[in-house]
């Protein structure tokens, strides 16, 4: 006996199990980052002085990073769409580009962080930097987690396309949902930390 | 996955199993061990409270310094008692064990939606509990800033606090994975005919509990990350400016807020208490229906009340923070929501009580615990009302009154329900029966001594005795008249511990007892009793996956030859 | 979602490209408005509005929310409500405190 609705949708919910699972997981992630956003608001409203983002952060670089991540979201959904159109080669290309863009994001972040450490801006320096490093740091961990998943289906796990293409496509959709969420967090993180 | 292709090794069959029943048992055994350990910690604390600065018997030699419990260690025992009982004991047992084992069976599913994820969540719980245990062995001992870990104290506390935080991150992640699994299982894997309003109340409670855990735990994980940053990276998220410790002004950046921690902590910790009670409500409902041989009174009322309770639980948390100076309008808001949330609790308890009316009551061990639960939870709930009213709370906050209140709901409340569940479902899990005499002795002595431990706490609390005092209030004049109760409570606690021997012995001899193999010894109506063997089949639970045609509590249906009608019996 | 035809997927692809252009444009807008002097409240509100529009586009089209049935919506509504409580209630206690 197999567990039902792992691949096919359950009629009344219109979902297969994995998709519902990842949406619920994303709900918990909204609350996780929500806790940190709430902390940011609480800390900022609790003090007289709070620096603006431009005092410590490089806005053009972060804007570039935002564009990297948005583009990676497009390539991610395109990789799924390619599978729906039975084009495995295109899937590979789009997945690869997604990984490249994510890597670019990480590289920019690496330069941002090391520059700050170099001039003595640490999380302990003040709460602005503290919350900046914590929130972007947690976001970076989520990017890395996503990259591991995308890479897994790009190379080692890709053979499932041969044995169970529908299930494989669903898995890519699920990874995509997670990846779009990570992009979504940045869409809010960027203006809040850098621009306000 | 047919039976033939399953030659499993010992490891995959018993240790890293993905079968929800094995995982449920793993959660069950681990959590029972932790409950015992957490209880033992309290018995040590109560010796210090009864006979301050006397050497502790049995364990005195490892405590050191003449066997007298140092105050820092008392604080560790207190913090770890709370942490262990809640996060390593009750929730894993109520949700991880009972939920995993019985939700799939009761909805007619062959397993949980994500079996491998299920195994992962158990092992994360296990690792988290090992991390918590390690805390006892680091310099400075285990976490000692209360289970609530308030900064600034928690920020500057000994190493054990960092260990606690890592343990919590692990446990929270385990819990989140478990919640996702239960939610998807209930939404997607209900068998044919199992509509939402035909679900056993037990499944409803597990479902709502999973939602609470899913949405309420992450802010605490965020707070834990922030506290780890404070402790390890020198940030000042929770550290106000100009803090002086032991005469020295701290050099960190400051500008932080201890209140921020309290908000994020209680945002979880209030829904957490409903996580502690909802599975209990579910178990009690099953047992009452079964042992009154009639349907539950107010099935719909129960469902709506529990859903409403779940929603309200997110907007009452600052009743734990009345005296932090929030301002009267915010205080009034939380007082109002807190008073409102008592309504669904009363609806639920009333429904359970009314379910007894006109019933043909069987006084077996599970039913005795269920009957005991009702008034005990009633006391717990009623004593919560003065705490929910801000004015009264000013006097009662952080006194023994609070400890009495929450222990009544959790100890003769939830834990009685969990014992009830163990006695009720033991025949299903093992195909064997427990000893009724030992069960009844366990119940009666537990009931008496639970009250012996917790009732005097209200007296002490009303007199103004603060909680978390190593000397039990000895140095305070206002405590003088009620100090004698410390010894009363301690003796009750130790006798309560002895009473658990009836349970432990019962479990051991029953496990080695004769297999009756009875499928449905209680003549119950729900799928786990009517359509599976005892224990259920290894893979797939059911010979034939049942369809559902009726509600979950069709007992004493007129014109039926039996006094119970299985959910799977065709109309 | 598993039951889409190739034609439907191709139509979706057109949408993805349009959404991408919108997102890129809105990113420029986000940065541009940060140079305007709108005061703290104005700046925050406008930044959050733009971010919410971008987020909705990602959610509705990249995450296919616009095609889903009620189950996901109920989950998200519950989450959004919990999120708003988490953001606004501690803030309100902070603001009320400041007034004492």
């Amino acid at each position: 006996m197999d567990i039902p609705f792992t691949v096919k949708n359950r009629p009344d919910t219109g979902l297969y199990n994995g998709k519902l699972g990842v949406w619920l997981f994303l709900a918990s992630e909204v609350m996780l980052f929500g806790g940190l956003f709430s902390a940011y608001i609480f800390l900022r409203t609790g003090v007289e002085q709070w620096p603006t983002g431009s005092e410590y952060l490089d806005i053009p670089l972060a804007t570039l990073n935002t564009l990297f991540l948005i583009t990676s979201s497009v390539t991610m959904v395109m990789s799924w769409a390619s599978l729906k159109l039975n084009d495995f080669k295109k899937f590979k290309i789009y997945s690869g580009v997604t990984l490249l863009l994510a890597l670019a994001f990480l590289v920019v972040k690496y330069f941002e962080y090391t520059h700050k450490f170099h001039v003595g801006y640490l999380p302990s320096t003040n709460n602005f930097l503290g919350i900046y490093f914590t929130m972007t740091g947690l976001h970076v961990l989520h990017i890395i987690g996503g990259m591991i998943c995308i890479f897994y289906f790009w190379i080692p796990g890709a053979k499932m396309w041969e044995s169970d293409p529908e299930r494989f496509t669903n898995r890519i959709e699920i990874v995509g949902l997670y990846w779009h969420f990570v992009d979504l967090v940045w869409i809010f993180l960027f203006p809040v930390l850098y621009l306000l | 996955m047919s039976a033939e292709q399953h030659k499993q090794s010992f490891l995959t069959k018993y240790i890293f199993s993905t079968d929800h029943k094995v995982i449920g048992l793993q959660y069950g055994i681990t959590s029972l061990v932790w409950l015992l350990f957490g209880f033992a910690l309290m018995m040590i604390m109560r010796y210090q409270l009864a006979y301050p600065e006397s050497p502790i018997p049995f364990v005195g030699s490892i405590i050191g310094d003449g066997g007298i419990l140092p105050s820092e260690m008392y604080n560790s025992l207190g913090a770890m008692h709370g942490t262990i009982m809640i996060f390593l004991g009750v929730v894993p047992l109520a949700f991880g064990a009972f939920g995993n084992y019985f939700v799939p069976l009761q909805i007619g599913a062959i397993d949980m939606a994500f079996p491998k994820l299920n195994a992962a969540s158990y092992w994360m719980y296990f690792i988290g509990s090992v991390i918590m245990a390690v805390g006892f062995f680091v310099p400075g001992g285990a976490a000692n800033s209360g289970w609530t870990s308030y900064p600034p104290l928690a920020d500057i506390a000994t190493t054990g606090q960092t260990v606690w935080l890592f343990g919590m991150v692990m446990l929270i992640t385990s819990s989140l994975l478990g919640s996702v699994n239960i939610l998807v299982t209930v939404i997607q894997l209900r068998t044919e005919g199992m509509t939402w309003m035909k679900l056993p109340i037990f499944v409803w409670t597990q479902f709502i509990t999973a939602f609470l855990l899913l949405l309420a735990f992450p802010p605490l994980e965020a707070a834990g990350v922030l506290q780890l940053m404070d402790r390890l990276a020198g940030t000042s998220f929770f550290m106000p400016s100009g803090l002086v410790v032991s005469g020295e002004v701290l050099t960190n950046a400051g500008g932080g807020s201890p209140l921020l921690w309290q908000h994020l902590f209680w945002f979880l910790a209030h829904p957490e208490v409903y996580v502690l009670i909802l599975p209990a409500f579910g178990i009690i409902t099953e047992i009452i229906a079964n042992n009154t041989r009639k349907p539950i009174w107010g099935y719909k009322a129960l469902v709506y009340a529990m859903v409403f309770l779940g929603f309200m639980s997110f907007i009452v948390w600052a009743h734990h923070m009345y005296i932090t100076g929030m301002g009267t309008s915010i205080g009034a808001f939380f007082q109002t929501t807190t008073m409102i949330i008592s309504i669904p609790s009363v609806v639920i308890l009333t429904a359970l009580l009314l379910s007894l009316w006109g019933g043909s009551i069987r006084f077996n061990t599970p039913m005795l615990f269920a009957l005991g639960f009702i008034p005990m939870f009633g006391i717990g709930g009623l004593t919560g009302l003065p705490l929910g009213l801000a004015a009264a709370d000013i006097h009662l906050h952080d006194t023994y009154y609070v400890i009495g209140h929450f222990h009544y709901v959790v100890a003769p409340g939830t834990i009685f329900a969990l014992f009830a569940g163990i006695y009720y479902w033991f025949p299903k899990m093992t195909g064997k029966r427990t000893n009724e005499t030992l069960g009844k002795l366990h119940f009666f002595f537990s009931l008496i001594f639970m009250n012996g431990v917790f009732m005097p706490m209200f007296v002490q609390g009303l007199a103004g005795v603060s909680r978390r005092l190593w000397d039990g209030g000895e140095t305070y004049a206002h405590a003088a008249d009620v100090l004698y109760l410390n010894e009363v409570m301690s003796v009750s606690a130790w006798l309560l511990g002895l009473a658990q021997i009836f349970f432990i012995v019962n479990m051991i001899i029953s496990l080695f007892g004769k297999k009756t193999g009875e499928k449905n010894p209680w003549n119950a109506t729900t799928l786990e009793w009517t359509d599976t063997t005892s224990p259920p089949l290894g893979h797939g639970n059911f010979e034939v996956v049942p369809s559902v045609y009726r509600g979950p509590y069709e007992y004493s249906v007129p014109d039926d030859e039996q006094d119970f009608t299985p959910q799977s019996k065709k109309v | 979602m598993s039951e889409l035809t190739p034609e439907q997927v191709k139509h979706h692809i057109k949408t993805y490209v349009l959404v991408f252009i919108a997102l890129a444009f809105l990113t420029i807008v986000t940065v541009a408005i940060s140079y305007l002097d709108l005061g703290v409240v104005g700046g925050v509100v406008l930044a959050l509005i733009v971010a919410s529009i971008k987020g909705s586009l990602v959610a509705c089209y990249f995450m296919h929310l616009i095609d889903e049935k009620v189950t996901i919506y109920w989950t998200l509504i519950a989450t959004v409500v919990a999120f708003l409580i988490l953001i606004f209630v501690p803030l309100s206690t902070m603001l009320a405190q400041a007034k004492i």
Side-chain angles (χ1 to χ4, degrees), chain A residues 1 10 13 15 17 42 124 127, chain B residues 188 190 218 234 236 257 542:
Chain A
M1 282 185 269
R10 184 180 156 114
T13 61
L15 299 161
N17 301 338
F42 201 84
S124 51
N127 272 344
Chain B
Q188 297 277 104
R190 283 165 294 129
S236 306
S257 172
F542 306 98

Side-chain angles (χ1 to χ4, degrees), chain A residues 1-6 10 12-13 15-18 20-22 24-25 27-29 31-32 35-36 38-39 42-43 47 123-127 130-131 133-134 138, chain B residues 1 110 112 114-115 176 180 183-184 187-190 214-215 218-219 221-222 225-226 229 233-237 253-257 259-260 263-264 267 540 542 545:
Chain A
M1 282 185 269
D2 282 330
I3 296 171
F5 310 122
T6 45
R10 184 180 156 114
D12 59 356
T13 61
L15 299 161
Y16 55 93
N17 301 338
L20 179 59
V22 81
L24 291 167
F25 173 67
S28 78
E29 293 271 77
M31 298 307 287
L32 179 67
L36 291 177
S38 184
F42 201 84
L43 289 168
V47 290
S124 51
T125 306
N126 59 39
N127 272 344
I131 202 80
F133 278 113
T134 306
L138 192 65
Chain B
M1 271 199 183
I110 63 171
M112 297 282 275
F114 308 116
L176 288 173
V180 170
L183 290 169
V184 177
I187 293 173
Q188 297 277 104
L189 300 186
R190 283 165 294 129
L214 186 80
L215 296 179
E221 187 148 30
V225 169
L226 293 174
M229 288 293 284
T235 51
S236 306
F237 295 123
S257 172
L259 277 182
L260 174 61
H263 279 297
L264 294 174
F267 186 89
F542 306 98
V545 174

Side-chain angles (χ1 to χ4, degrees), chain B residues 188-208:
Chain B
Q188 297 277 104
L189 300 186
R190 283 165 294 129
T191 190
E192 198 197 326
M194 181 61 88
T195 60
W196 286 98
M197 293 314 245
K198 287 199 172 72
L199 282 172
I201 293 289
F202 175 78
V203 178
W204 268 111
T205 56
Q206 293 285 331
F207 181 76
I208 298 167

Side-chain angles (χ1 to χ4, degrees), chain B residues 217-257:
Chain B
F217 247 138
L220 180 59
E221 187 148 30
V225 169
L226 293 174
Q227 196 177 99
L228 276 170
M229 288 293 284
D230 269 11
R231 289 179 60 82
L232 301 176
T235 51
S236 306
F237 295 123
F238 306 123
M239 299 288 264
S241 306
L243 198 62
V244 178
V245 176
S246 304
E248 278 180 39
V249 182
L250 294 183
T251 53
N252 58 347
S257 172

Side-chain angles (χ1 to χ4, degrees), chain A residues 39-52:
Chain A
Y40 170 87
I41 294 170
F42 201 84
L43 289 168
R44 183 165 182 172
T45 51
V47 290
E48 301 276 318
Q49 298 270 48
W50 186 270
T52 57

Side-chain angles (χ1 to χ4, degrees), chain A residues 19-169:
Chain A
K19 194 195 290 199
L20 179 59
V22 81
W23 271 113
L24 291 167
F25 173 67
L26 293 181
S28 78
E29 293 271 77
V30 167
M31 298 307 287
L32 179 67
F33 282 100
L36 291 177
F37 275 110
S38 184
Y40 170 87
I41 294 170
F42 201 84
L43 289 168
R44 183 165 182 172
T45 51
V47 290
E48 301 276 318
Q49 298 270 48
W50 186 270
T52 57
S54 48
E55 275 181 57
Y56 289 103
L57 307 174
D58 187 329
I59 293 174
L61 211 53
T63 312
L64 180 66
N65 244 2
T66 308
L67 292 168
F68 281 155
L69 220 54
I70 292 175
T71 314
S72 76
S73 245
V74 184
T75 54
M76 185 71 222
V77 74
M78 287 303 298
S79 76
W80 170 80
S82 306
L83 288 179
K84 295 297 283 182
L85 294 172
N86 246 302
D87 195 337
F88 191 69
K89 273 216 185 79
K90 276 241 180 76
F91 155 76
K92 284 274 214 176
I93 296 172
Y94 277 120
S95 284
V97 174
T98 309
L99 278 173
L100 217 63
L101 288 164
L103 195 61
F105 183 92
L106 288 183
V107 166
V108 169
K109 270 251 106 24
Y110 170 80
F111 282 118
E112 274 191 280
Y113 278 12
T114 47
H115 171 75
K116 284 191 189 45
F117 296 150
H118 186 68
V119 296
Y121 291 152
L122 301 170
S124 51
T125 306
N126 59 39
N127 272 344
F128 172 80
L129 285 168
I131 202 80
Y132 162 79
F133 278 113
T134 306
M135 292 184 85
T136 57
L138 192 65
H139 183 253
V140 159
L141 286 177
H142 279 80
I143 296 245
I144 294 173
M147 284 175 74
I148 293 172
C149 294
I150 297 172
F151 178 78
Y152 174 77
F153 288 113
W154 194 44
I155 313 269
K159 43 183 172 337
M160 197 194 254
W161 174 251
E162 309 294 321
S163 53
D164 200 341
E166 221 184 331
R167 197 162 181 209
F168 184 75
T169 310

